Amino acid sequence: MIKLFAADLDGTLLNVLHLTDRTILRSLREIRSAGAHFSIATGRTLRSNRAMGFEGNVAVVCANGSLVLDEDGQVIRTATMPHEFVEALVRAFPKAPLDFITAEHTYHLGTEEQHAASFGNMPAWRKVVMRGMSMTGGPEHIYECAPAQVAALDVCKVNAHVKGMEEAGEVAAFIADWGDDVVNAPFNPSMLEVTRRGVNKGEAVAWLASYLGISEDEVAVYGDGGNDIQMLERFAGHGHAYATSNGSDAAKAAAGHVIGPCALHAVPHHMLRTLRKGR
């Protein structure tokens, strides 16, 4: 019987407009009413379990697993990167449009205008997603930070949009040189999404399951993109990993099971069928 459902957001749980809706929220209410648990599992940074229209009573695995919130919306785990890496990164690229994400805020070396300009070459739908990567709280974004200020932070994740960033190749090579300490696992090749090595959605969902007293074979996970692969692979061995049909080929291969598209609410419907079958 599945006791914890965990789903990526964009391309997976959310509808085609990258939003929650009545169908999604109704499915989560039924899961909770049945005594099971639900967790978001996203690369976005959600500092509240009521962000984006969620109604609370859900856990949040976000920032690719580097932040975990419980069902009361409290931060229960952070996985931060070595200060030495962050310090070296900001010293090497003091003007690069990088987002430094902590449990409290998202910090930028540049101005708000420079941050907005980094979205310039993105398709319209992806701009919506990326501008939603940090939600609620607030002042959510803090701009024009000194490198020394950022280097002193407990940084969970570093984001950057590659296209249009002059130093993109150099930044990627720099991150690769720190491969013993950090890993880049973006949802799409146009992004850099860097966390501490060993930190990913799969590891964080497994940690959350243990925290809730749930075994890994009682967990079902859903995803569609590059930063879901380790999560899908981890739980595929238990037979409960699912990729949406609109997902990447790599995600589908990792999951082993392919359901319908997010546009037709495949994930909410599949979760409810699984829940009812388990009863």
Side-chain angles (χ1 to χ4, degrees):
M1 180 177 176
I2 300 302
K3 297 181 180 179
L4 171 63
F5 296 88
D8 173 52
L9 293 181
D10 302 289
T12 305
L13 178 68
L14 300 182
N15 63 29
V16 71
L17 299 176
H18 300 273
L19 299 171
T20 54
D21 57 32
R22 285 183 291 182
T23 298
I24 294 167
L25 297 177
R26 187 165 56 245
S27 71
L28 302 187
R29 287 188 212 112
E30 184 167 339
I31 287 169
R32 295 296 291 135
S33 295
H37 301 267
F38 175 79
S39 178
I40 297 161
T42 182
R44 294 191 190 221
T45 303
L46 305 183
R47 297 186 173 95
S48 167
N49 63 357
R50 293 184 175 272
M52 300 181 62
F54 290 100
E55 299 172 334
N57 293 322
V58 299
V60 178
V61 168
C62 67
N64 279 358
S66 61
L67 280 171
V68 181
L69 282 65
D70 66 13
E71 292 163 340
D72 294 322
Q74 301 300 309
V75 175
I76 54 174
R77 193 188 83 150
T78 60
T80 59
M81 290 184 280
H83 283 96
E84 296 83 359
F85 165 75
V86 178
E87 181 177 9
L89 180 63
V90 296
R91 290 188 182 280
F93 304 100
K95 296 183 179 179
L98 305 172
D99 305 340
F100 296 88
I101 295 166
T102 73
E104 296 82 19
H105 305 290
T106 300
Y107 295 81
H108 308 268
L109 297 168
T111 65
E112 184 173 0
E113 291 72 23
Q114 289 170 328
H115 179 233
S118 71
F119 297 103
N121 294 312
M122 302 174 82
W125 70 267
R126 192 168 292 155
K127 290 180 184 180
V128 173
V129 173
M130 292 309 302
R131 284 176 177 153
M133 289 288 270
S134 295
M135 304 289 295
T136 77
E140 185 70 23
H141 295 267
I142 298 178
Y143 297 97
E144 299 182 71
C145 299
Q149 177 187 2
V150 173
L153 298 171
D154 291 324
V155 176
C156 296
K157 185 168 182 266
V158 175
N159 283 342
H161 180 229
V162 172
K163 192 172 182 181
M165 184 170 72
E166 293 181 7
E167 314 95 325
E170 296 174 52
V171 173
F174 179 93
I175 292 167
D177 286 342
W178 282 79
D180 289 340
D181 299 284
V182 298
V183 63
N184 176 38
F187 79 99
N188 185 284
S190 68
M191 287 291 300
L192 295 174
E193 295 187 59
V194 187
T195 58
R196 193 177 78 199
R197 175 157 288 284
V199 174
N200 56 69
K201 293 183 186 182
E203 174 269 338
V205 169
W207 182 93
L208 175 64
S210 177
Y211 177 84
L212 294 171
I214 296 170
S215 63
E216 291 193 27
D217 62 354
E218 297 173 314
V219 179
V221 298
Y222 301 83
D224 76 305
N227 60 359
D228 298 314
I229 289 173
Q230 288 173 302
M231 177 177 72
L232 294 170
E233 288 178 338
R234 178 159 189 154
F235 292 94
H238 301 293
H240 303 304
Y242 306 92
T244 49
S245 59
N246 53 272
S248 69
D249 290 342
K252 293 174 186 177
H257 297 290
V258 180
I259 59 176
C262 66
L264 297 180
H265 292 107
V267 171
H269 293 323
H270 189 275
M271 290 193 298
L272 291 184
R273 287 196 301 271
T274 303
L275 181 72
R276 292 163 184 168
K277 183 179 178 181
R279 289 174 179 170

